[in-house]
C-alpha cells in the first residue's frame, strides 16, 4: 500500500525568523497592514510504501527525526493518508 | 481579533519538481528505499487582525492569489483558526 505523508516543519516559537519578518514587511509595503506576523516553514509531501498505516507512520516519524528536522530549532507534524488508487487505462 | 492562517502552497501535479526528486534520491542513498516520491511545497503561518473569521478568510485568499501563489504552476490551501489569547503578566 502507498501512503501520502504531508509533513510540516516549523521553527520553534522562540527562534527568530528573519525570512518571515521580510515577508511581513513586504506585505505591509503592499498595503496589507493587517498582517501582524509571518512565520515561514517547510512543507513536503512524501509517498511511502508500507504494509500498514502504523508502519508508514513509524517510517515517517523516523525520517523526520533523523533527516528532515533540526530538533534544536525546529518542530514538525505530519498527517498520513492512504494514496487513492490510480487507474491505468 | 487575531487569526492564524496556515497556508500551504504546492506545485500542480503536472509540474516537474526537481527539488523533490533530489530529496527522494537523498532518501534512497540513506537507505530509505520505500520512499516512492517527494514533492516540495511552501508553508507559511500568517497572523492577521480582522473583525470576523469571514473577513480574515477573504484577506488570506486575496493575499494568496495576488502575492504568494503563482497560479500558472502552483495551487494553495489554507486553514484559519482564531489565535488563543496570550496572558500578559
Amino acid at each position: 500500500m502507498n501512503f501520502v505523508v504531508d509533513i510540516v516543519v516549523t521553527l520553534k516559537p522562540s527562534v527568530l525568523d528573519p525570512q518571515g519578518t521580510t515577508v511581513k514587511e513586504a506585505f505591509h509595503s503592499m498595503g496589507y497592514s493587517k498582517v501582524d506576523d509571518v512565520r515561514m516553514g517547510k512543507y513536503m509531501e512524501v509517498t511511502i510504501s508500507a504494509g500498514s498505516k502504523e508502519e508508514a507512520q513509524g517510517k515517517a516519524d523516523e525520517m523526520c527525526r533523523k533527516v528532515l528536522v533540526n530538533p534544536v530549532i525546529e518542530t514538525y507534524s505530519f498527517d498520513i493518508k492512504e494514496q487513492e488508487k490510480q487507474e491505468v487505462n
Side-chain angles (χ1 to χ4, degrees), chain A residues 34-76:
Chain A
K34 298 291 184 70
V35 174
D36 290 331
D37 194 23
V38 178
R39 304 276 296 172
M40 304 297 292
K42 290 182 281 185
Y43 175 82
M44 276 151 279
E45 225 175 76
V46 181
T47 311
I48 305 179
S49 13
S52 68
K53 194 169 178 175
E54 286 66 35
E55 192 193 323
Q57 200 149 6
K59 270 243 160 348
D61 198 56
E62 188 190 320
M63 283 161 53
C64 284
R65 280 184 292 106
K66 293 202 180 163
V67 188
L68 298 170
V69 178
N70 176 354
V72 179
I73 55 167
E74 294 172 330
T75 54
Y76 65 97

Side-chain angles (χ1 to χ4, degrees), chain A residues 8-13 15-27 35 37-43 73-75:
Chain A
V8 170
V9 181
T10 48
L11 287 171
K12 287 184 181 172
V15 178
L16 283 177
D17 180 9
Q19 196 190 355
T21 308
T22 306
V23 173
K24 183 182 78 177
E25 282 163 9
F27 272 128
V35 174
D37 194 23
V38 178
R39 304 276 296 172
M40 304 297 292
K42 290 182 281 185
Y43 175 82
I73 55 167
E74 294 172 330
T75 54

